[in-house]
Amino acid sequence: MEPVTTPERLLQILRWRYATKRFDKDRRIPAPVWEALEQALVLAPSSFGLQPWKFLVVDDPALRQELRRQSWNQSQVTDADRYVVFTALRTTTEHDVERFLQRTTAVRGTPPGQLAGYGKVIVDFLQKGWAAKDLFGWNARQAYLALGQFMTAAALLGVDTCPMEGIDANGYDRALGLHGSRYATLCACAVGYRAGDDKYAAAPKVRYPADEVIERR
Ligand SMILES: Cc1cc2nc3c(=O)[nH]c(=O)nc-3n(C[C@H](O)[C@H](O)[C@H](O)COP(=O)(O)O)c2cc1C
């Protein structure tokens, strides 16, 4: 595939992205742009491909207000055009593996018998692998990859984001009806366009030098 951008332009885009504090309340994301961003979530990679997540797109204004109350009153929750709550499976079971294998069969036409061995490898890993003691933590790591992909995809389309961990995940679960469900809130992402007066947009990025964070062996 032809590169869609140049190294210089890529860095320009990554430097343009910042955790937006003030969103333009009136600017809407065009439908095709939003649809592509939803697909960036759907297409995110995950370990074994299990996709142990659900992304809740919250449009309801009253629910947004309630989530803002559960987010240290951060204005991004209500002012951004879109708001996505990232949740992960509290645990992963054999049924989830079975569901994934069925999906693989449906999409790729692989005979179910051919996938049985792979399914056993996954179930063994879930039960005895290094992640077995904390499957929620493992699932959460997958969901954060989706967050990263989503934010980068948004930046490439000129859309601003603010990842949000300054939230009461338990309060979110209550507001979103997730208590007693298989999913639990991890974090959220506000999505829209920066307000003209957000002073953080022009603030220099605070990053350690590359030779401090990248080691060569
Ligand atoms: C997982 C995660 C959670 C974050 N939570 C918040 C938040 O609740 N509110 C906020 O204003 N910024 C939040 N941030 C933004 C960070 O403070 C910001 O990414 C960091 O300071 C680097 O700045 P930059 O993204 O503008 O380059 C969060 C970032 C990440 C990755």
Side-chain angles (χ1 to χ4, degrees), residues 14-15 17-21 71-72 74 76 144 147 151 161-167 187-188 200 203 205-207:
L14 294 178
R15 289 187 181 117
R17 186 212 60 78
Y18 77 111
T20 303
K21 307 295 175 198
S71 314
W72 304 348
Q74 296 188 76
Q76 298 97 313
Y144 273 82
L147 171 67
M151 289 170 54
T161 52
C162 186
M164 308 276 293
E165 246 180 358
I167 67 173
C187 60
Y200 288 91
K205 283 219 175 291
V206 181
R207 295 294 191 271

Side-chain angles (χ1 to χ4, degrees), residues 184-204:
T185 299
L186 302 166
C187 60
C189 190
V191 200
Y193 296 98
R194 62 190 69 181
D197 60 352
D198 189 351
K199 61 181 187 320
Y200 288 91

